[in-house]
Amino acid sequence: MNRCACTPSWPGQPGPPRRPSATCYAAWPSLGSPGPGPPHGNSFPERGPSAFSDSRSDIAAAVAFAREHERIDPGRVLLWGNSLGGAHVITVAASDPRIAAVVAQIPFNGFPKKVEGRSTGDTLKLLGAILWDALRGRLGVRPYYIPMVGHPGELAVTASPEAEQHIQALTGGQNTLWRKTVAPRGLLRMMRYHPAESAARLSCPLLVCVAAEDRETPLENSRELADRAPHGELVVHPGTHFTFYTNPEFRDRVVADQIDFYRRTSASV
Protein backbone atom coordinates (compact mmCIF):
# COMPACT_ATOMS: atom_id res chain seq x y z
CA MET A 1 0.00 0.00 0.00
CA ASN A 2 2.85 2.39 -0.64
CA ARG A 3 0.98 5.03 -2.57
CA CYS A 4 1.58 8.37 -4.17
CA ALA A 5 -1.14 9.85 -6.36
CA CYS A 6 -2.48 13.13 -7.64
CA THR A 7 -6.18 14.01 -7.81
CA PRO A 8 -7.39 17.13 -9.64
CA SER A 9 -10.22 19.14 -8.10
CA TRP A 10 -12.39 20.65 -10.82
CA PRO A 11 -14.47 23.73 -10.00
CA GLY A 12 -18.00 22.92 -8.91
CA GLN A 13 -19.09 26.03 -7.04
CA PRO A 14 -20.41 29.33 -8.35
CA GLY A 15 -18.15 32.33 -8.43
CA PRO A 16 -15.40 33.79 -10.57
CA PRO A 17 -13.73 31.19 -12.80
CA ARG A 18 -10.42 29.96 -11.42
CA ARG A 19 -8.02 27.32 -12.54
CA PRO A 20 -8.55 24.39 -10.16
CA SER A 21 -6.17 22.91 -7.66
CA ALA A 22 -4.71 19.42 -7.44
CA THR A 23 -4.10 17.38 -4.30
CA CYS A 24 -1.16 14.98 -4.25
CA TYR A 25 -1.32 12.41 -1.49
CA ALA A 26 1.16 9.94 -0.05
CA ALA A 27 0.74 7.08 2.39
CA TRP A 28 3.57 5.01 3.83
CA PRO A 29 4.40 2.42 5.00
CA SER A 30 2.69 -0.46 3.25
CA LEU A 31 1.54 -3.84 4.45
CA GLY A 32 3.82 -5.61 2.02
CA SER A 33 3.95 -6.47 -1.65
CA PRO A 34 1.16 -8.04 -3.68
CA GLY A 35 1.17 -10.91 -6.07
CA PRO A 36 2.54 -14.43 -6.24
CA GLY A 37 6.17 -15.34 -5.94
CA PRO A 38 8.71 -14.89 -3.17
CA PRO A 39 7.44 -12.77 -0.29
CA HIS A 40 8.61 -9.19 -0.26
CA GLY A 41 8.46 -6.71 2.53
CA ASN A 42 7.54 -3.09 2.72
CA SER A 43 9.39 -1.37 -0.10
CA PHE A 44 11.26 1.21 1.95
CA PRO A 45 12.74 -1.22 4.51
CA GLU A 46 13.77 -3.71 1.86
CA ARG A 47 15.40 -1.17 -0.42
CA GLY A 48 17.09 0.60 2.45
CA PRO A 49 18.19 4.24 2.51
CA SER A 50 17.63 4.86 -1.20
CA ALA A 51 13.90 4.24 -0.76
CA PHE A 52 13.52 7.39 1.33
CA SER A 53 14.80 9.62 -1.45
CA ASP A 54 12.88 7.53 -4.00
CA SER A 55 9.63 8.08 -2.09
CA ARG A 56 10.13 11.82 -1.94
CA SER A 57 11.07 11.85 -5.61
CA ASP A 58 7.80 10.09 -6.38
CA ILE A 59 5.87 12.87 -4.62
CA ALA A 60 7.82 15.56 -6.44
CA ALA A 61 7.13 13.76 -9.73
CA ALA A 62 3.38 13.70 -8.97
CA VAL A 63 3.51 17.45 -8.29
CA ALA A 64 5.34 18.09 -11.54
CA PHE A 65 2.80 15.96 -13.43
CA ALA A 66 -0.09 17.93 -11.95
CA ARG A 67 1.49 21.25 -12.86
CA GLU A 68 1.80 20.22 -16.48
CA HIS A 69 -1.97 19.73 -16.77
CA GLU A 70 -3.51 22.62 -18.70
CA ARG A 71 -6.49 22.82 -16.33
CA ILE A 72 -4.44 22.91 -13.13
CA ASP A 73 -3.15 26.08 -11.54
CA PRO A 74 0.53 25.25 -10.90
CA GLY A 75 0.51 27.49 -7.84
CA ARG A 76 -2.42 25.71 -6.18
CA VAL A 77 -1.02 22.22 -5.69
CA LEU A 78 -1.85 20.78 -2.25
CA LEU A 79 -0.06 17.95 -0.47
CA TRP A 80 -1.57 15.38 1.89
CA GLY A 81 0.36 12.69 3.72
CA ASN A 82 -0.34 10.01 6.31
CA SER A 83 2.11 8.59 8.88
CA LEU A 84 5.52 8.36 7.16
CA GLY A 85 3.88 9.93 4.11
CA GLY A 86 3.07 12.91 6.34
CA ALA A 87 6.77 13.36 6.99
CA HIS A 88 7.58 13.06 3.29
CA VAL A 89 5.10 15.70 2.10
CA ILE A 90 6.50 18.17 4.64
CA THR A 91 10.03 17.47 3.42
CA VAL A 92 9.05 17.86 -0.24
CA ALA A 93 7.09 21.07 0.37
CA ALA A 94 10.04 22.60 2.23
CA SER A 95 11.99 22.49 -1.02
CA ASP A 96 9.11 23.70 -3.21
CA PRO A 97 7.86 27.21 -2.34
CA ARG A 98 5.04 26.93 -4.90
CA ILE A 99 3.17 24.29 -2.85
CA ALA A 100 -0.04 25.97 -1.62
CA ALA A 101 -0.70 23.97 1.56
CA VAL A 102 0.16 20.72 3.33
CA VAL A 103 -1.86 18.39 5.55
CA ALA A 104 0.14 15.88 7.59
CA GLN A 105 -2.06 13.27 9.29
CA ILE A 106 -0.58 11.38 12.27
CA PRO A 107 2.84 12.22 10.81
CA PHE A 108 6.13 10.53 11.66
CA ASN A 109 8.66 12.81 13.33
CA GLY A 110 11.25 10.44 14.70
CA PHE A 111 10.77 7.36 16.85
CA PRO A 112 9.56 7.94 20.40
CA LYS A 113 12.13 7.32 23.11
CA LYS A 114 9.76 4.87 24.76
CA VAL A 115 6.87 3.03 23.13
CA GLU A 116 4.07 2.43 25.59
CA GLY A 117 3.39 -1.29 25.99
CA ARG A 118 6.76 -2.39 24.55
CA SER A 119 9.15 -3.79 27.14
CA THR A 120 12.89 -3.25 27.11
CA GLY A 121 13.31 -6.88 26.09
CA ASP A 122 10.94 -6.46 23.14
CA THR A 123 12.83 -3.34 22.05
CA LEU A 124 16.15 -5.16 22.19
CA LYS A 125 14.74 -8.02 20.11
CA LEU A 126 13.59 -5.54 17.47
CA LEU A 127 16.96 -3.77 17.46
CA GLY A 128 18.66 -7.14 17.07
CA ALA A 129 16.47 -7.95 14.07
CA ILE A 130 17.24 -4.56 12.51
CA LEU A 131 20.99 -5.00 12.87
CA TRP A 132 20.92 -8.63 11.68
CA ASP A 133 18.96 -7.67 8.58
CA ALA A 134 21.31 -4.73 7.92
CA LEU A 135 24.28 -7.10 8.09
CA ARG A 136 22.57 -9.49 5.69
CA GLY A 137 22.06 -6.56 3.34
CA ARG A 138 25.77 -5.77 3.37
CA LEU A 139 26.54 -9.41 2.66
CA GLY A 140 24.10 -9.45 -0.24
CA VAL A 141 21.97 -12.27 1.12
CA ARG A 142 18.20 -12.64 1.46
CA PRO A 143 16.58 -10.13 3.85
CA TYR A 144 15.53 -11.21 7.33
CA TYR A 145 11.81 -10.47 7.31
CA ILE A 146 9.73 -9.71 10.38
CA PRO A 147 5.98 -9.07 10.72
CA MET A 148 4.76 -5.52 10.24
CA VAL A 149 2.22 -6.00 13.04
CA GLY A 150 1.92 -8.48 15.88
CA HIS A 151 0.48 -9.06 19.30
CA PRO A 152 2.14 -7.66 22.45
CA GLY A 153 5.38 -9.49 23.17
CA GLU A 154 5.84 -10.69 19.59
CA LEU A 155 8.70 -9.59 17.34
CA ALA A 156 7.08 -7.05 15.01
CA VAL A 157 7.46 -3.41 13.99
CA THR A 158 4.17 -2.61 15.74
CA ALA A 159 2.99 -5.04 18.41
CA SER A 160 -0.46 -4.22 19.76
CA PRO A 161 -3.99 -5.65 19.55
CA GLU A 162 -5.20 -2.47 17.85
CA ALA A 163 -2.66 -2.81 15.05
CA GLU A 164 -4.11 -6.19 14.13
CA GLN A 165 -7.59 -4.65 14.14
CA HIS A 166 -6.25 -2.03 11.73
CA ILE A 167 -5.10 -4.72 9.33
CA GLN A 168 -8.47 -6.45 9.54
CA ALA A 169 -10.20 -3.14 8.78
CA LEU A 170 -8.04 -2.56 5.70
CA THR A 171 -8.55 -6.06 4.32
CA GLY A 172 -12.18 -6.46 5.39
CA GLY A 173 -11.16 -9.64 7.18
CA GLN A 174 -10.52 -11.33 3.83
CA ASN A 175 -7.43 -13.21 2.72
CA THR A 176 -5.24 -11.09 0.46
CA LEU A 177 -2.02 -11.51 -1.51
CA TRP A 178 -0.28 -8.85 0.56
CA ARG A 179 2.63 -10.10 2.64
CA LYS A 180 2.49 -8.29 5.97
CA THR A 181 6.23 -8.57 6.51
CA VAL A 182 9.11 -6.12 6.25
CA ALA A 183 12.87 -6.17 5.95
CA PRO A 184 13.69 -4.05 9.02
CA ARG A 185 17.03 -2.65 7.82
CA GLY A 186 15.23 0.47 6.55
CA LEU A 187 14.26 1.37 10.11
CA LEU A 188 17.87 2.46 10.66
CA ARG A 189 17.29 5.35 8.25
CA MET A 190 14.03 6.24 9.98
CA MET A 191 15.94 6.63 13.24
CA ARG A 192 17.81 9.54 11.65
CA TYR A 193 14.81 11.08 9.90
CA HIS A 194 13.48 14.25 11.59
CA PRO A 195 11.12 16.21 9.31
CA ALA A 196 10.74 18.98 11.91
CA GLU A 197 13.87 20.49 10.37
CA SER A 198 12.00 20.70 7.06
CA ALA A 199 8.84 22.02 8.74
CA ALA A 200 10.81 25.04 9.92
CA ARG A 201 11.55 25.89 6.26
CA LEU A 202 7.97 25.69 4.98
CA SER A 203 6.63 28.76 3.22
CA CYS A 204 3.07 27.41 2.95
CA PRO A 205 0.45 26.70 5.65
CA LEU A 206 0.71 23.33 7.40
CA LEU A 207 -2.07 21.45 9.20
CA VAL A 208 -0.96 18.64 11.52
CA CYS A 209 -3.74 16.25 12.58
CA VAL A 210 -2.86 14.02 15.50
CA ALA A 211 -4.48 11.63 17.97
CA ALA A 212 -4.31 12.31 21.69
CA GLU A 213 -3.58 8.67 22.59
CA ASP A 214 -1.27 7.87 19.67
CA ARG A 215 1.55 5.50 20.67
CA GLU A 216 3.08 5.06 17.21
CA THR A 217 3.47 8.76 16.31
CA PRO A 218 3.05 10.38 19.74
CA LEU A 219 1.48 13.79 20.17
CA GLU A 220 4.62 15.29 21.70
CA ASN A 221 6.61 14.28 18.59
CA SER A 222 4.06 15.45 16.03
CA ARG A 223 3.36 18.72 17.83
CA GLU A 224 6.89 19.87 17.04
CA LEU A 225 6.06 19.90 13.33
CA ALA A 226 3.27 22.44 13.78
CA ASP A 227 5.26 24.44 16.33
CA ARG A 228 8.28 24.84 14.05
CA ALA A 229 6.35 25.58 10.86
CA PRO A 230 6.01 29.36 10.30
CA HIS A 231 2.32 28.89 9.44
CA GLY A 232 1.56 25.71 11.34
CA GLU A 233 -1.75 24.58 12.82
CA LEU A 234 -2.31 21.64 15.14
CA VAL A 235 -5.58 19.76 15.59
CA VAL A 236 -5.70 17.08 18.29
CA HIS A 237 -8.41 14.46 17.91
CA PRO A 238 -9.47 11.98 20.58
CA GLY A 239 -8.38 8.43 19.81
CA THR A 240 -5.29 6.50 18.80
CA HIS A 241 -3.12 6.17 15.72
CA PHE A 242 -5.41 3.50 14.30
CA THR A 243 -8.67 5.34 15.00
CA PHE A 244 -7.96 7.28 11.80
CA TYR A 245 -8.30 4.01 9.87
CA THR A 246 -10.87 1.99 11.77
CA ASN A 247 -13.61 4.48 12.77
CA PRO A 248 -15.58 5.79 9.75
CA GLU A 249 -17.45 8.51 11.68
CA PHE A 250 -14.20 9.74 13.21
CA ARG A 251 -12.55 9.73 9.79
CA ASP A 252 -15.38 11.77 8.29
CA ARG A 253 -14.91 14.48 10.94
CA VAL A 254 -11.16 14.58 10.33
CA VAL A 255 -11.61 14.80 6.56
CA ALA A 256 -14.10 17.66 6.99
CA ASP A 257 -11.51 19.59 9.03
CA GLN A 258 -8.86 18.97 6.41
CA ILE A 259 -11.06 20.03 3.50
CA ASP A 260 -11.94 23.22 5.38
CA PHE A 261 -8.22 23.91 5.86
CA TYR A 262 -7.54 23.40 2.17
CA ARG A 263 -10.37 25.70 1.20
CA ARG A 264 -9.22 28.44 3.57
CA THR A 265 -5.60 28.31 2.48
CA SER A 266 -6.05 27.78 -1.26
CA ALA A 267 -8.61 30.59 -1.48
CA SER A 268 -5.88 33.08 -0.63
CA VAL A 269 -3.50 31.78 -3.27
Side-chain angles (χ1 to χ4, degrees):
M1 290 183 64
N2 287 355
R3 177 175 296 179
C4 179
C6 185
T7 303
S9 176
W10 309 121
Q13 296 181 346
R18 298 185 65 186
R19 296 175 71 188
S21 64
T23 302
C24 299
Y25 59 90
W28 280 269
S30 73
L31 302 182
S33 296
H40 294 284
N42 186 343
S43 64
F44 77 83
E46 182 173 359
R47 286 151 56 198
S50 65
F52 265 69
S53 56
D54 289 348
S55 298
R56 295 193 292 259
S57 296
D58 288 344
I59 299 170
V63 171
F65 174 80
R67 285 178 173 152
E68 290 176 355
H69 198 292
E70 62 181 8
R71 296 183 63 187
I72 295 295
D73 184 339
R76 299 182 66 219
V77 174
L78 314 169
L79 296 184
W80 183 97
N82 180 77
S83 195
L84 184 57
H88 286 339
V89 292
I90 290 173
T91 303
V92 170
S95 299
D96 186 344
R98 290 199 295 166
I99 295 296
V102 175
V103 169
Q105 178 175 284
I106 48 175
F108 176 83
N109 186 33
F111 286 118
K113 295 180 180 179
K114 172 67 176 177
V115 177
E116 183 181 350
R118 189 189 290 273
S119 68
T120 301
D122 292 341
T123 300
L124 291 175
K125 285 193 297 183
L126 179 59
L127 288 173
I130 293 171
L131 295 175
W132 174 238
D133 184 53
L135 176 61
R136 293 174 67 87
R138 288 185 174 274
L139 295 175
V141 299
R142 179 181 173 83
Y144 174 70
Y145 295 102
I146 66 173
M148 182 67 191
V149 299
H151 296 288
E154 295 179 346
L155 175 61
V157 177
T158 301
S160 70
E162 194 180 16
E164 184 61 33
Q165 294 173 11
H166 162 55
I167 299 301
Q168 293 299 319
L170 289 178
T171 63
Q174 304 297 315
N175 291 327
T176 71
L177 295 177
W178 291 91
R179 273 73 166 179
K180 298 185 286 289
T181 56
V182 299
R185 67 188 67 167
L187 298 175
L188 285 173
R189 181 66 181 271
M190 288 183 68
M191 293 177 182
R192 300 188 294 272
Y193 189 35
H194 299 286
E197 299 171 1
S198 296
R201 297 187 288 108
L202 284 174
S203 58
C204 67
L206 167 68
L207 175 65
V208 179
C209 297
V210 299
E213 293 83 37
D214 195 333
R215 299 192 305 179
E216 280 66 35
T217 53
L219 171 59
E220 58 269 23
N221 284 33
S222 301
R223 183 192 300 275
E224 183 186 9
L225 297 169
D227 288 345
R228 295 193 62 181
H231 309 286
E233 300 180 26
L234 177 73
V235 176
V236 181
H237 299 275
T240 70
H241 189 84
F242 299 103
T243 309
F244 283 80
Y245 306 103
T246 57
N247 187 320
E249 293 182 1
F250 173 91
R251 187 167 57 240
D252 288 344
R253 293 194 300 270
V254 173
V255 169
D257 289 343
Q258 295 174 357
I259 291 175
D260 177 69
F261 170 79
Y262 279 140
R263 284 175 174 166
R264 285 190 288 111
T265 54
S266 62
S268 61
V269 176

